Amino acid sequence: MEGRDGESAVRREDGMSENETLSKPASEEEVREALYDVVDPELGIDVVNLGLIYGIHIDDANIATLDMTLTSAACPLTDVIEDQAKSATDGIVNELRINWVWMPPWGPDKITDDGREQLRALGFNV
């Protein structure tokens, strides 16, 4: 495949070239579904069931912005989670941005019922 200037365009796994974009904006539900694959490395539970996703906004250019928190503001694995989220949503949105939010602070009350079951299965008392 050739790009505009006659150079070869690289194809990604989803069949799009690097400079192509998805024309139809994704839904919040599609993005949320993809984020179930993003696992907090310390707890082994996905960020959705942990209650770390505070909001999802997708603009007309199909750029998603997550309002997201972490279990601790001092979490050393922020980059790992951010990379996982970008990989999980690749092919769904044109770009993913994370707006790290610290208020309200995360607490165990934000964990979903499914997340609580998963944590109990791992031996946590929640």
Side-chain angles (χ1 to χ4, degrees):
M1 165 184 229
E2 288 190 7
R4 290 184 194 158
D5 55 6
E7 292 181 19
S8 293
V10 177
R11 283 260 176 224
R12 301 182 331 188
E13 283 183 28
D14 59 11
M16 294 174 57
S17 71
E18 288 181 355
N19 51 3
E20 285 180 295
T21 58
L22 300 165
S23 57
K24 179 183 170 233
S27 70
E28 286 184 28
E29 187 55 38
E30 288 172 305
V31 172
R32 185 176 312 279
E33 234 0 86
L35 294 173
Y36 280 103
D37 291 336
V38 179
V39 176
D40 180 291
E42 294 178 312
L43 296 174
I45 306 297
D46 67 87
V47 296
V48 176
N49 280 309
L50 278 175
L52 300 178
I53 307 298
Y54 285 0
I56 300 171
H57 174 74
I58 302 144
D59 68 16
D60 291 338
N62 201 27
I63 296 171
T65 302
L66 301 181
D67 287 333
M68 184 173 179
T69 195
L70 296 169
T71 56
S72 164
C75 178
L77 301 168
T78 305
D79 292 343
V80 172
I81 292 172
E82 192 164 347
D83 289 345
Q84 281 186 41
K86 287 181 179 185
S87 292
T89 56
D90 188 39
I92 297 170
V93 296
N94 292 329
E95 184 181 342
L96 180 76
R97 298 174 182 161
I98 298 179
N99 177 35
W100 295 107
V101 177
W102 306 110
M103 293 303 286
W106 179 88
D109 59 306
K110 300 207 181 332
I111 302 172
T112 66
D113 290 341
D114 285 345
R116 289 178 191 285
E117 286 182 35
Q118 292 172 42
L119 284 168
R120 284 188 200 104
L122 292 172
F124 289 95
N125 187 15
V126 289

